[in-house]
Amino acid sequence: MASLSSSAISNHSLSPNAFVPKKICFFSNQCRSLLLPHRSPICRMGFVSELERKKTSKTNIFASVTDTSVGTSPEKVQLPKGDSWSVHKFGGTCVGSSERINNVAKIILSDESERKFVVVSAMSKVTDMMYDLILKAQSRDKTYLAALDAVLVKHRSTAVDLLDGNELGNFLSALNQDISNLKAMLRAIYIAGHATESFTDFVVGHGELWSAQLLAAVVRKNGVDCKWMDTREVLIVNPTGSDQVDPDFEKSEKRLEKWYSRNPSKTIIATGFIASTPQDIPTTLKRDGSDFSAAIMGALFKAGQVTIWTDVDGVYSADPRKVSEAVILKTLSYQEAWEMSYFGANVLHPRTIIPVMRYDIPIIIRNVFNLSAPGTKICRSSATEDEVDQSLESFVRGFATIDNLALVNVEGTGMAGVPGTASAIFSAVKDVGANVIMISQASSEHSVCFAVPEKEVKAVSKALQSRFREALNAGRLSQVQVIPNCSILAAVGQRMASTPGVSATLFNALAKANINVRAIAQGCSEYNITVVLKREDCIRALRAVHSRFYLSRTTIAMGIVGPGLIGATLLDQLRDQAATLKEEFNIDLRVMGITGSRTMLLSETGVDLSRWRELQQEKGERADMEKFVQHVHGNHFIPNTVLVDCTADSVIASHYYGWLRKGIHVVTPNKKANSGPLDQYLKLRALQRQSYTHYFYEATVGAGLPIINTLQGLLETGDKILRIEGIFSGTLSYIFNNLVGSRTFSEVVAEAKQAGFTEPDPRDDLSGTDVCRKVIILARESGLKLELSDIPVESLVPEPLKDSASAEEFMQKLPQFDNDLAKKRQIAEDAGEVLRYVGVVDVVNQKGVVKLQAYKNDHPFAQLSGADNIIAFTTTRYKDQPLIVRGPGAGAEVTAGGVFSDILRLASYLGAPS
Ligand code: ADP
Ligand code: ASP
Ligand code: MG
């Protein structure tokens, strides 16, 4: 095993083999042009243009370290740089267990790059455990010993799982050595009751030391020669205060060359996170700093690319834990990635970008658990710049949030026109070491407000009060106000620059979600728009703006009322068709709730329709219509809501008016609203006409047949309806189509009941009320102002059987009345006619009727079969030959199909492509 962690740092400069580079020169294996000034160490720190990069990208550059300090014959060991190096960084979750470490080793081995440099984080949770040791020790909590033991056990058992023989022995003895050193150190901290920053950094960095050594040993076990690097020997950084460090690239490069000359290898496994100060004191790149380590190393090697392996498929348009709708961004520009990470997307450490950007080294974010996902590529320009896509949505690439902030507002008329006020404010803030995350100043100069982390605001406020005491006393400043519990929401996108309308859309989405904005900032770069909100509004705001820019405009939140036969069939049809609609037509239908009369199922993002029945059983709650509607409509992230009433209930129908008033669209096969009291119907239709809220009810007549639509089409294009006549009942259609030869009426009714064509009590069909409701719907649609009671209905239920106690009794007695109908049939037959049960809307005479009617044998109504409906429209245009619509007009499949088609009509009204 290579030199070991805790002792390595302090000893390496004293080591007899240590090199002291005296002379560094650069040459390439191909040409001397690489000695041009732009490759000098100083220029290397600066910006390299795309062209320059292209010139050098496929060339390996060699820096040679000539060691003149040891022996007499100078030895040259070359560090190859350039595209031959591929840098990988594996985050804590990637190496969270022995199985995962094996998996990472496999990924490294399968990378076919010539040279590989792998940066690794501590096993997941280990850094937290290490910080906890310090906390415990300095607060004189003796359990630090048990906690240290847990750290030891975790690594020991992982090593035992992964390694054997010498590798295991070496690792365990090094681990034990480190643990006993740590014990001594923690004891000192315990006694002192205090840990200095460098003590802390030294302790917490051990997670990376162990994970790097473990991984290197596993790679070696797989037969690949590899070295591990303690990056404290190489990476030199200067602390900058405010919990940040600046890499010293020049010194680090020299150290790297020196390290490499001693450890030349094509596969190097290095510690992330840790580094040294120029005085060789161990330090860290601060929390989550391993990404930054990888970027710095990538820049030092001028690597071909840096792959950051983590536990998500790439950079999402928003934190996937907060926005389930977030999508993976295929590409991001350096600036966009920087802004996203700065404003809280912790998939990438914000400082990762700068080192690689200098050399145009692309960063790829990939999922270690899903190798089939291509990940997100971060490079100079995001792909959308080349795309023709000019939609507003494409200008905003992602959203991020920072929580736990406070807003500080310094206000007063005395600030206007007084030079130096801002400088005085921010120097006071700097003096307490607070980190200002965003600043906004009203143009009247009456107020400056800025956001700082909540934990720093007390000190900031105190410093400002004291700095401006005089101005406050004199009234030149009215207040230094602290607004706690704030969050920042940032919208990021390179092409937001000079694109009008982006912020309007953003603020509109916030307003629609009823979210109050406390402060706004948009930098001159226009790469982001930042708003400060109340913390409790933050996730809702994030979802609202994300959906506005990312969801299809025709995303519709649906509430299904009545999952009976038709409702259930509709849900199954939606399940089968949803993916196609989304992919091909950009229509995203989300069932946010399903309610029956007793239970309801609510979902935050959309019910999984493949399991809605089970979910209803498992997660159903007591039905409550108000809560249901509030849930479906109140989600704030889906712009459109529709309630689909699949019941036959007049109480549900009585809600439509209120729903439409709230802007909720209504689709239904329920006839109750349109055939109920005339004044309510007229009110409903008037409201529908005034608003952009839609009410569709095609399936109330003839199930999925285009009857209402046809009628509306005729009327809207100026045709005049004279008469509508039709067989509107599938059941009665079946009965009369089959009442032939010697068969009796009761026999055919029994057959229809048996086949499930009738209601459980066939009197509901034979009474004609259902047909009457359809007649009234068509009559009103044609402009007639009729009530249900205005329509005479010829009932087929014999008068004496109206009050029969049960369906069974009715069926039993029905044969006694067969003669009545047989007589009528005989008369019709003698005249070459058949009997049909029809509904008629006589528009000319403003009347309607439901009756038994005889038709000539060659009449279209006489030709019907099965349970088909047929409807004839006689109009001014279709006078000699009526317009006829015919087909199956009953049954769950076709009725649900009719409802579904109305939902799609709604989507097209809302802007879906045709
Ligand atoms: P690692 O330990 O691999 O460095 P991190 O936890 O630091 O992983 O970062 C990955 C996490 O970042 C993801 O699991 C995800 O929850 C979170 N995250 C926050 N915002 C985003 C975003 N916009 N895209 C992807 N992941 C994000
Ligand atoms: N292990 C360190 C941390 O948890 C660094 C990193 O994982 O990026 O902060
Ligand atoms: Mg991270």
Side-chain angles (χ1 to χ4, degrees):
M1 182 172 295
S3 65
L4 221 259
S5 58
S6 48
S7 54
I9 267 285
S10 45
N11 289 346
H12 87 267
S13 56
L14 305 174
S15 143
N17 294 327
F19 289 90
V20 182
K22 294 281 158 60
K23 203 173 116 196
I24 297 177
C25 68
F26 291 84
F27 62 90
S28 96
N29 56 348
Q30 294 179 352
C31 63
R32 295 179 64 79
S33 66
L34 292 170
L35 290 169
L36 286 173
H38 75 262
R39 305 303 305 181
S40 77
I42 290 165
C43 287
R44 251 177 285 137
M45 297 305 117
F47 177 83
V48 177
S49 72
E50 177 73 28
L51 188 67
E52 284 165 333
R53 176 166 168 74
K54 279 196 181 128
K55 272 198 258 168
T56 59
S57 63
K58 292 287 161 236
T59 313
N60 286 329
I61 308 155
F62 291 89
S64 88
V65 178
T66 309
D67 181 20
T68 51
S69 68
V70 190
T72 47
S73 64
E75 176 193 344
K76 266 187 189 174
V77 183
Q78 295 178 325
L79 168 61
K81 291 183 186 170
D83 283 358
S84 66
W85 284 102
S86 160
V87 172
H88 295 265
K89 177 258 167 173
F90 292 92
T93 41
C94 307
V95 290
S97 66
S98 47
E99 201 187 14
R100 290 182 180 181
I101 295 176
N102 264 326
N103 184 41
V104 165
K106 269 193 217 127
I107 294 175
I108 297 169
L109 295 172
S110 65
D111 176 3
E112 288 170 358
S113 308
E114 197 183 339
R115 297 183 173 86
K116 290 168 261 190
F117 186 85
V118 178
V119 175
V120 64
S121 288
M123 292 177 75
S124 61
K125 311 252 166 42
V126 166
T127 312
D128 291 337
M129 289 165 98
M130 304 306 283
Y131 274 108
D132 190 47
L133 292 177
I134 303 270
L135 264 180
K136 286 196 155 96
Q138 70 182 2
S139 54
R140 301 204 165 109
D141 174 354
K142 271 210 165 122
T143 60
Y144 79 86
L145 284 167
L148 181 62
D149 206 43
V151 171
L152 169 67
V153 168
K154 184 177 175 95
H155 290 89
R156 190 170 52 203
S157 66
T158 310
V160 168
D161 274 357
L162 289 169
L163 308 174
D164 42 34
N166 275 352
E167 288 280 14
L168 179 62
N170 288 345
F171 179 82
L172 290 182
S173 70
L175 177 68
N176 289 330
Q177 181 64 52
D178 287 342
I179 294 286
S180 77
N181 285 345
L182 284 173
K183 203 177 270 175
M185 190 156 235
L186 289 166
R187 168 96 186 130
I189 295 171
Y190 178 85
I191 293 167
H194 173 73
T196 61
E197 196 180 335
S198 47
F199 264 41
T200 305
D201 282 351
F202 175 79
V203 171
V204 298
H206 275 74
E208 271 70 10
L209 290 166
W210 296 323
S211 60
Q213 291 175 77
L214 274 172
L215 182 60
V218 175
V219 171
R220 276 196 297 273
K221 194 178 157 189
N222 281 282
V224 171
D225 175 42
C226 105
K227 296 277 189 314
W228 85 277
M229 175 194 280
D230 173 350
T231 36
R232 293 177 304 183
E233 292 178 46
V234 172
L235 211 54
I236 304 299
V237 297
N238 289 299
T240 62
S242 62
D243 219 21
Q244 284 194 7
V245 292
D246 277 343
D248 184 328
F249 285 93
E250 244 178 292
K251 283 203 179 96
S252 301
E253 186 168 32
K254 284 179 191 156
R255 293 269 186 119
L256 175 63
E257 286 158 359
K258 193 163 83 174
W259 187 93
Y260 189 82
S261 71
R262 280 184 284 138
N263 302 284
S265 176
K266 287 193 167 181
T267 305
I268 301 169
I269 314 286
T271 54
F273 186 46
I274 54 176
S276 290
T277 65
Q279 296 76 35
D280 273 336
I281 296 172
T283 185
T284 68
L285 305 189
K286 311 305 164 194
R287 288 314 305 257
D288 297 316
S290 296
D291 299 340
F292 191 21
S293 307
I296 300 167
M297 297 312 290
L300 293 178
F301 280 107
K302 323 271 182 305
Q305 69 173 41
V306 174
T307 309
I308 307 242
W309 294 89
T310 182
D311 58 355
V312 281
D313 283 354
V315 180
Y316 282 87
S317 49
D319 187 338
R321 292 165 299 188
K322 294 177 179 161
V323 182
S324 58
E325 320 290 326
V327 295
I328 289 285
L329 303 170
K330 286 200 188 86
T331 56
L332 270 179
S333 71
Y334 289 125
Q335 280 85 357
E336 286 167 340
W338 186 84
E339 299 271 355
M340 284 285 282
S341 57
Y342 177 80
F343 285 106
N346 56 332
V347 63
L348 201 64
H349 187 281
R351 304 208 54 203
T352 314
I353 299 300
I354 306 298
V356 291
M357 192 166 124
R358 289 193 175 126
Y359 303 101
D360 269 359
I361 300 169
I363 298 184
I364 323 286
I365 314 276
R366 290 194 62 188
N367 190 347
V368 82
F369 306 112
N370 180 15
L371 298 182
S372 61
T376 300
K377 180 173 181 181
I378 300 169
C379 51
R380 181 151 297 276
S381 66
S382 67
T384 49
E385 238 174 299
D386 311 324
E387 289 165 9
V388 277
D389 185 1
Q390 288 299 316
S391 64
L392 207 53
E393 290 78 356
S394 71
F395 295 103
V396 179
R397 306 301 314 286
F399 298 92
T401 55
I402 311 179
D403 285 332
N404 302 328
L405 298 179
L407 207 55
V408 180
N409 187 26
V410 184
E411 205 173 305
T413 46
M415 281 166 69
V418 180
T421 312
S423 139
I425 292 172
F426 293 110
S427 76
V429 175
K430 179 179 168 278
D431 289 347
V432 294
N435 180 22
V436 176
I437 293 162
M438 71 146 249
I439 305 170
S440 156
Q441 177 177 13
S443 61
S444 71
E445 298 185 39
H446 278 176
S447 77
V448 172
C449 85
F450 56 92
V452 292
E454 195 115 54
K455 61 181 189 316
E456 290 166 4
V457 75
K458 228 178 174 172
V460 169
S461 160
K462 216 169 135 198
L464 290 172
Q465 299 280 358
S466 119
R467 170 70 185 74
F468 292 105
R469 183 166 301 124
E470 229 173 76
L472 283 162
N473 289 343
R476 276 180 283 122
L477 280 192
S478 56
Q479 61 173 345
V480 174
Q481 183 195 8
V482 170
I483 304 161
N485 300 322
C486 292
S487 289
I488 275 183
L489 166 71
V492 172
Q494 192 147 3
R495 296 202 305 157
M496 278 158 74
S498 62
T499 306
V502 176
S503 39
T505 309
L506 182 84
F507 290 112
N508 185 282
L510 290 171
K512 260 187 94 175
N514 198 22
I515 284 160
N516 188 25
V517 174
R518 305 209 102 139
I520 304 165
Q522 173 173 5
C524 290
S525 72
E526 294 187 47
Y527 290 143
N528 85 72
I529 299 171
T530 312
V531 292
V532 180
L533 321 149
K534 270 200 249 160
R535 188 166 59 215
E536 72 233 42
D537 286 342
C538 189
I539 292 197
R540 219 154 48 83
L542 184 63
R543 289 180 184 162
V545 294
H546 185 272
S547 64
R548 176 58 193 87
F549 285 96
Y550 267 94
L551 284 193
S552 139
R553 200 167 315 151
T554 44
T555 299
I556 305 177
M558 299 176 56
I560 308 289
V561 184
L565 190 58
I566 294 171
T569 310
L570 174 66
L571 285 163
D572 292 342
Q573 291 179 355
L574 283 166
R575 173 199 62 207
D576 297 341
Q577 201 56 15
T580 311
L581 286 173
K582 198 164 172 190
E583 276 153 35
E584 290 178 23
F585 300 97
N586 206 15
I587 298 172
D588 190 353
L589 301 177
R590 307 282 180 88
V591 177
M592 310 299 281
I594 301 171
T595 182
S597 54
R598 280 185 297 275
T599 51
M600 65 180 182
L601 172 68
L602 305 180
S603 160
E604 285 301 322
T605 51
V607 175
D608 173 359
L609 292 184
S610 64
R611 311 179 46 231
W612 68 268
R613 289 180 179 84
E614 294 95 295
L615 289 171
Q616 204 183 22
Q617 295 278 326
E618 289 162 19
K619 303 204 168 136
E621 51 190 279
R622 202 171 60 78
D624 174 341
M625 188 52 85
E626 205 176 309
K627 187 172 168 200
F628 179 78
V629 174
Q630 165 60 28
H631 173 85
V632 177
H633 188 50
N635 65 69
H636 296 297
F637 73 99
I638 300 183
N640 316 291
T641 310
V642 62
L643 287 170
V644 183
D645 170 19
C646 296
T647 70
D649 193 334
S650 52
V651 177
I652 307 288
S654 69
H655 288 298
Y656 297 173
Y657 187 80
W659 293 346
L660 289 169
R661 289 225 17 181
K662 285 193 179 128
I664 300 172
H665 309 288
V666 177
V667 169
T668 188
N670 180 357
K671 291 180 275 289
K672 294 293 159 52
N674 283 14
S675 61
L678 179 64
D679 57 336
Q680 285 180 28
Y681 166 81
L682 292 173
K683 236 175 90 184
L684 194 62
R685 300 282 283 140
L687 175 65
Q688 182 200 4
R689 292 210 173 95
Q690 283 159 20
S691 68
Y692 286 97
T693 315
H694 303 287
Y695 170 43
F696 295 144
Y697 42 84
E698 177 63 76
T700 52
V701 182
L705 296 179
I707 294 171
I708 306 278
N709 245 325
T710 304
L711 177 54
Q712 288 176 340
L714 293 170
L715 289 165
E716 281 162 15
T717 57
D719 202 352
K720 268 184 92 138
I721 310 295
L722 304 173
R723 184 183 177 84
I724 305 169
E725 185 170 342
I727 297 173
F728 296 108
S729 156
T731 314
L732 290 161
S733 175
Y734 178 88
I735 290 170
F736 286 95
N737 295 342
N738 287 282
L739 191 57
V740 287
S742 60
R743 309 190 72 189
T744 63
F745 181 62
S746 60
E747 214 180 297
V748 184
V749 172
E751 180 184 278
K753 184 173 188 313
Q754 185 73 27
F757 287 147
T758 69
E759 293 294 322
D761 186 339
R763 283 176 293 183
D764 291 342
D765 297 299
L766 301 177
S767 69
T769 319
D770 187 63
V771 175
C772 184
R773 286 195 182 276
K774 291 172 184 168
V775 167
I776 202 87
I777 290 171
L778 294 176
R780 287 175 177 176
E781 200 69 44
S782 310
L784 304 188
K785 295 199 164 49
L786 296 176
E787 291 282 7
L788 208 56
S789 55
D790 295 330
I791 314 280
V793 179
E794 180 179 347
S795 170
L796 298 178
V797 180
E799 193 60 39
L801 299 187
K802 270 193 180 141
D803 300 323
S804 292
S806 66
E808 287 67 36
E809 190 188 320
F810 166 75
M811 288 305 289
Q812 203 194 342
K813 292 187 178 163
L814 189 60
Q816 299 167 18
F817 301 87
D818 278 342
N819 251 345
D820 298 355
L821 208 80
K823 272 188 218 150
K824 287 184 190 162
R825 240 186 95 195
Q826 194 55 54
I827 297 168
E829 260 172 33
D830 292 347
E833 291 173 342
V834 292
L835 292 179
R836 293 294 181 253
Y837 193 74
V838 294
V840 179
V841 180
D842 179 351
V843 182
V844 179
N845 296 302
Q846 312 216 351
K847 287 197 300 207
V849 66
V850 176
K851 59 180 180 179
L852 203 56
Q853 172 81 40
Y855 291 89
K856 285 279 174 226
N857 282 333
D858 60 355
H859 189 276
F861 286 16
Q863 320 280 315
L864 228 50
S865 60
D868 279 4
N869 281 193
I870 186 162
I871 295 94
F873 296 93
T874 308
T875 72
T876 324
R877 285 182 202 148
Y878 295 94
K879 199 163 186 177
D880 299 332
Q881 283 294 332
L883 188 160
I884 288 182
V885 179
R886 171 187 167 169
E893 281 292 334
V894 289
T895 308
V899 175
F900 197 173
S901 140
D902 269 352
I903 296 168
L904 295 185
R905 189 147 67 105
L906 171 66
S908 75
Y909 277 38
L910 297 172
S914 57

